Amino acid sequence: MKKIAIIPAKSNSVRIPNKNIKKFCGVPMIVHTINHCIKSKIFDEIIVSTDSKRIAKVAEKAGANVPFLRPKKLTYDNSKLLDVCKHALKKVNKKNDIEYFCIVWATSPLRKPKDLRNSFSYLHKGYDGVFSATEYSFSPFCALTKSPDGRWKPILKKYMWKSANELPEVITDNGSFAWVRLSSFNKENVWMPKKSYPYFIPRIRSVDINTIDDWKIAEMIYKSSNKNYK
Protein backbone atom coordinates (compact mmCIF):
# COMPACT_ATOMS: atom_id res chain seq x y z
CA MET A 1 0.00 0.00 0.00
CA LYS A 2 1.18 3.49 -0.86
CA LYS A 3 2.37 6.41 1.25
CA ILE A 4 1.99 9.79 -0.40
CA ALA A 5 2.85 13.38 0.47
CA ILE A 6 0.34 16.15 -0.19
CA ILE A 7 1.86 19.64 -0.29
CA PRO A 8 -0.82 22.39 -0.26
CA ALA A 9 0.40 25.48 -2.15
CA LYS A 10 -2.19 28.03 -3.19
CA SER A 11 -1.21 31.15 -5.13
CA ASN A 12 -2.92 33.95 -3.21
CA SER A 13 -0.74 34.84 -0.23
CA VAL A 14 -1.68 38.23 1.21
CA ARG A 15 1.12 39.02 3.67
CA ILE A 16 3.98 37.64 1.54
CA PRO A 17 3.11 37.77 -2.19
CA ASN A 18 4.02 34.58 -4.09
CA LYS A 19 5.26 33.10 -0.81
CA ASN A 20 5.37 29.50 -2.00
CA ILE A 21 7.77 30.24 -4.85
CA LYS A 22 9.57 33.27 -3.42
CA LYS A 23 13.25 32.40 -3.05
CA PHE A 24 14.21 31.35 0.47
CA CYS A 25 18.02 31.30 0.80
CA GLY A 26 18.29 31.20 -2.98
CA VAL A 27 15.74 28.43 -3.61
CA PRO A 28 11.95 28.73 -4.13
CA MET A 29 10.24 28.07 -0.82
CA ILE A 30 8.26 25.06 -1.99
CA VAL A 31 11.39 23.40 -3.40
CA HIS A 32 12.82 23.05 0.12
CA THR A 33 9.77 21.02 1.13
CA ILE A 34 9.83 18.91 -2.03
CA ASN A 35 13.51 18.18 -1.40
CA HIS A 36 12.74 17.14 2.18
CA CYS A 37 10.13 14.70 0.89
CA ILE A 38 12.45 13.27 -1.76
CA LYS A 39 15.42 12.91 0.61
CA SER A 40 13.27 11.24 3.26
CA LYS A 41 12.87 8.28 0.86
CA ILE A 42 9.59 7.42 2.55
CA PHE A 43 7.01 8.45 -0.07
CA ASP A 44 5.77 6.57 -3.11
CA GLU A 45 4.53 9.82 -4.62
CA ILE A 46 4.81 13.53 -3.84
CA ILE A 47 1.72 15.52 -4.85
CA VAL A 48 1.44 19.31 -4.93
CA SER A 49 -2.08 20.71 -4.66
CA THR A 50 -2.09 24.16 -6.24
CA ASP A 51 -4.29 26.42 -8.30
CA SER A 52 -1.27 28.06 -9.99
CA LYS A 53 0.38 26.92 -13.23
CA ARG A 54 3.45 28.87 -12.17
CA ILE A 55 3.74 26.99 -8.87
CA ALA A 56 3.03 23.74 -10.69
CA LYS A 57 5.91 24.36 -13.09
CA VAL A 58 8.36 25.02 -10.22
CA ALA A 59 7.10 21.97 -8.33
CA GLU A 60 7.38 19.60 -11.28
CA LYS A 61 10.88 20.81 -12.08
CA ALA A 62 11.86 20.01 -8.47
CA GLY A 63 10.56 16.44 -8.75
CA ALA A 64 6.98 16.59 -7.47
CA ASN A 65 3.83 15.59 -9.35
CA VAL A 66 1.03 18.03 -10.12
CA PRO A 67 -1.66 15.83 -11.70
CA PHE A 68 -4.42 18.43 -11.30
CA LEU A 69 -5.03 22.09 -10.54
CA ARG A 70 -6.98 22.92 -7.42
CA PRO A 71 -10.39 24.56 -8.07
CA LYS A 72 -10.79 28.21 -7.11
CA LYS A 73 -13.31 27.40 -4.37
CA LEU A 74 -10.50 25.71 -2.43
CA THR A 75 -8.09 28.65 -2.60
CA TYR A 76 -9.75 31.19 -0.31
CA ASP A 77 -8.48 32.05 3.18
CA ASN A 78 -11.50 30.32 4.72
CA SER A 79 -11.05 27.17 2.61
CA LYS A 80 -10.63 24.12 4.83
CA LEU A 81 -7.52 21.97 4.71
CA LEU A 82 -9.82 18.97 5.16
CA ASP A 83 -11.50 19.74 1.84
CA VAL A 84 -8.17 20.34 0.11
CA CYS A 85 -7.03 16.87 1.20
CA LYS A 86 -10.32 15.25 0.15
CA HIS A 87 -10.04 16.82 -3.28
CA ALA A 88 -6.43 15.68 -3.75
CA LEU A 89 -7.14 12.13 -2.58
CA LYS A 90 -10.15 11.84 -4.86
CA LYS A 91 -7.93 12.79 -7.78
CA VAL A 92 -4.96 10.52 -7.04
CA ASN A 93 -6.42 7.49 -5.23
CA LYS A 94 -8.12 5.97 -8.26
CA LYS A 95 -6.77 2.49 -7.48
CA ASN A 96 -7.61 2.71 -3.75
CA ASP A 97 -4.04 1.74 -2.97
CA ILE A 98 -3.12 4.63 -0.64
CA GLU A 99 -2.87 3.64 3.01
CA TYR A 100 -1.21 6.74 4.48
CA PHE A 101 -0.81 10.34 3.41
CA CYS A 102 1.23 13.11 4.90
CA ILE A 103 0.31 16.78 4.69
CA VAL A 104 3.62 18.60 4.31
CA TRP A 105 3.36 22.37 4.54
CA ALA A 106 5.42 24.35 2.03
CA THR A 107 6.11 27.14 4.52
CA SER A 108 8.21 25.14 6.97
CA PRO A 109 11.71 25.05 5.46
CA LEU A 110 13.50 24.14 8.71
CA ARG A 111 12.16 20.59 8.99
CA LYS A 112 14.58 17.81 8.07
CA PRO A 113 14.02 14.73 5.92
CA LYS A 114 14.66 12.58 8.98
CA ASP A 115 11.66 14.21 10.70
CA LEU A 116 9.36 12.84 8.00
CA ARG A 117 11.08 9.46 8.01
CA ASN A 118 11.28 8.95 11.78
CA SER A 119 7.77 10.19 12.53
CA PHE A 120 6.21 7.59 10.22
CA SER A 121 7.29 4.79 12.55
CA TYR A 122 4.65 5.80 15.13
CA LEU A 123 1.90 4.73 12.74
CA HIS A 124 3.03 1.16 13.40
CA LYS A 125 2.62 1.62 17.16
CA GLY A 126 -1.16 1.85 17.25
CA TYR A 127 -1.60 5.48 16.21
CA ASP A 128 -3.74 6.76 13.34
CA GLY A 129 -1.93 10.05 12.92
CA VAL A 130 1.33 11.78 13.76
CA PHE A 131 1.68 15.55 13.84
CA SER A 132 4.77 17.71 14.19
CA ALA A 133 4.71 19.59 17.46
CA THR A 134 6.68 21.89 19.72
CA GLU A 135 6.33 23.71 23.02
CA TYR A 136 4.93 27.22 23.21
CA SER A 137 7.46 30.04 23.54
CA PHE A 138 5.07 31.73 25.98
CA SER A 139 2.39 29.84 27.84
CA PRO A 140 -1.11 30.49 26.44
CA PHE A 141 -2.37 30.25 30.01
CA CYS A 142 -0.89 33.72 30.56
CA ALA A 143 -2.67 35.26 27.58
CA LEU A 144 -4.58 38.54 27.84
CA THR A 145 -7.51 39.74 25.78
CA LYS A 146 -8.86 43.21 25.10
CA SER A 147 -12.15 43.95 26.85
CA PRO A 148 -14.86 46.28 25.46
CA ASP A 149 -13.64 49.12 27.70
CA GLY A 150 -10.19 48.96 26.07
CA ARG A 151 -8.35 47.33 28.96
CA TRP A 152 -6.31 44.14 28.66
CA LYS A 153 -7.43 41.37 30.98
CA PRO A 154 -6.20 37.81 31.64
CA ILE A 155 -8.20 35.14 29.82
CA LEU A 156 -7.51 32.67 32.62
CA LYS A 157 -6.99 34.78 35.72
CA LYS A 158 -6.22 31.85 38.05
CA TYR A 159 -3.08 31.04 36.04
CA MET A 160 -1.85 34.55 35.34
CA TRP A 161 0.56 34.94 38.25
CA LYS A 162 1.76 31.38 38.55
CA SER A 163 5.39 30.49 37.87
CA ALA A 164 6.26 28.55 34.73
CA ASN A 165 6.64 25.23 36.57
CA GLU A 166 3.15 25.60 38.06
CA LEU A 167 1.42 25.94 34.69
CA PRO A 168 -0.07 22.95 32.82
CA GLU A 169 2.16 21.46 30.14
CA VAL A 170 0.89 22.35 26.66
CA ILE A 171 2.16 21.83 23.12
CA THR A 172 1.11 23.02 19.68
CA ASP A 173 1.01 21.69 16.16
CA ASN A 174 3.91 23.58 14.55
CA GLY A 175 2.69 23.60 10.96
CA SER A 176 5.39 21.34 9.50
CA PHE A 177 3.66 18.05 8.66
CA ALA A 178 0.94 15.62 9.68
CA TRP A 179 0.75 11.90 8.87
CA VAL A 180 -2.74 10.42 8.57
CA ARG A 181 -4.00 6.87 8.13
CA LEU A 182 -6.46 7.15 5.26
CA SER A 183 -9.04 4.81 6.80
CA SER A 184 -9.14 6.97 9.94
CA PHE A 185 -9.35 10.14 7.83
CA ASN A 186 -12.41 8.75 6.04
CA LYS A 187 -14.01 7.48 9.24
CA GLU A 188 -13.47 10.53 11.46
CA ASN A 189 -13.55 13.21 8.76
CA VAL A 190 -10.57 15.03 10.28
CA TRP A 191 -6.89 15.31 9.35
CA MET A 192 -5.81 14.85 12.97
CA PRO A 193 -7.52 11.64 14.18
CA LYS A 194 -8.27 11.03 17.85
CA LYS A 195 -5.38 8.58 18.16
CA SER A 196 -2.68 10.97 17.00
CA TYR A 197 0.82 11.24 18.41
CA PRO A 198 3.03 14.36 18.60
CA TYR A 199 6.45 14.18 16.98
CA PHE A 200 8.52 16.85 18.65
CA ILE A 201 10.69 19.23 16.66
CA PRO A 202 12.95 21.66 18.53
CA ARG A 203 11.51 25.14 18.86
CA ILE A 204 14.40 26.64 16.89
CA ARG A 205 13.28 24.64 13.83
CA SER A 206 9.57 25.23 14.38
CA VAL A 207 9.12 28.28 12.18
CA ASP A 208 5.92 28.28 10.12
CA ILE A 209 6.38 31.27 7.81
CA ASN A 210 3.38 33.59 7.73
CA THR A 211 4.98 37.02 8.06
CA ILE A 212 8.11 38.84 6.90
CA ASP A 213 9.49 38.56 10.45
CA ASP A 214 9.00 34.77 10.31
CA TRP A 215 10.83 34.76 6.99
CA LYS A 216 13.81 36.72 8.31
CA ILE A 217 14.11 34.56 11.43
CA ALA A 218 13.92 31.32 9.42
CA GLU A 219 16.60 32.51 6.97
CA MET A 220 18.96 33.37 9.81
CA ILE A 221 18.48 29.95 11.39
CA TYR A 222 18.85 28.16 8.06
CA LYS A 223 22.06 29.98 7.16
CA SER A 224 23.59 29.39 10.60
CA SER A 225 22.89 25.66 10.38
CA ASN A 226 25.37 25.15 7.51
CA LYS A 227 22.41 23.69 5.59
CA ASN A 228 22.71 20.43 7.47
CA TYR A 229 19.27 19.23 6.48
CA LYS A 230 19.57 15.48 5.97
Side-chain angles (χ1 to χ4, degrees), residues 94-165:
K94 300 293 186 180
K95 297 181 180 179
N96 292 315
D97 58 350
I98 295 173
E99 186 172 6
Y100 306 101
F101 69 95
C102 187
I103 308 162
V104 193
W105 281 272
T107 52
S108 185
L110 301 182
R111 86 172 65 76
K112 296 184 179 183
K114 70 176 183 180
D115 295 322
L116 297 167
R117 188 168 56 248
N118 294 344
S119 59
F120 176 73
S121 65
Y122 290 99
L123 290 169
H124 296 303
K125 297 179 181 180
Y127 296 101
D128 295 321
V130 182
F131 62 96
S132 58
T134 192
E135 298 173 344
Y136 280 94
S137 297
F138 300 98
S139 176
F141 286 98
C142 296
L144 295 92
T145 188
K146 195 173 185 178
S147 60
D149 62 7
R151 291 186 295 168
W152 291 90
K153 297 182 178 180
I155 293 177
L156 298 168
K157 191 173 182 180
K158 68 176 183 177
Y159 291 113
M160 189 64 196
W161 307 115
K162 291 184 179 292
S163 63
N165 59 3

Side-chain angles (χ1 to χ4, degrees), residues 170-185:
V170 289
I171 61 172
T172 181
D173 159 33
N174 73 353
S176 182
F177 62 86
W179 281 99
V180 193
R181 191 186 304 274
L182 183 55
S183 59
S184 298
F185 175 80

Side-chain angles (χ1 to χ4, degrees), residues 28 44 73-74 77 98 105 114 122 131 175 196 207 209 229:
D44 297 296
K73 66 181 181 179
L74 294 178
D77 286 343
I98 295 173
W105 281 272
K114 70 176 183 180
Y122 290 99
F131 62 96
S196 289
V207 182
I209 297 177
Y229 283 79

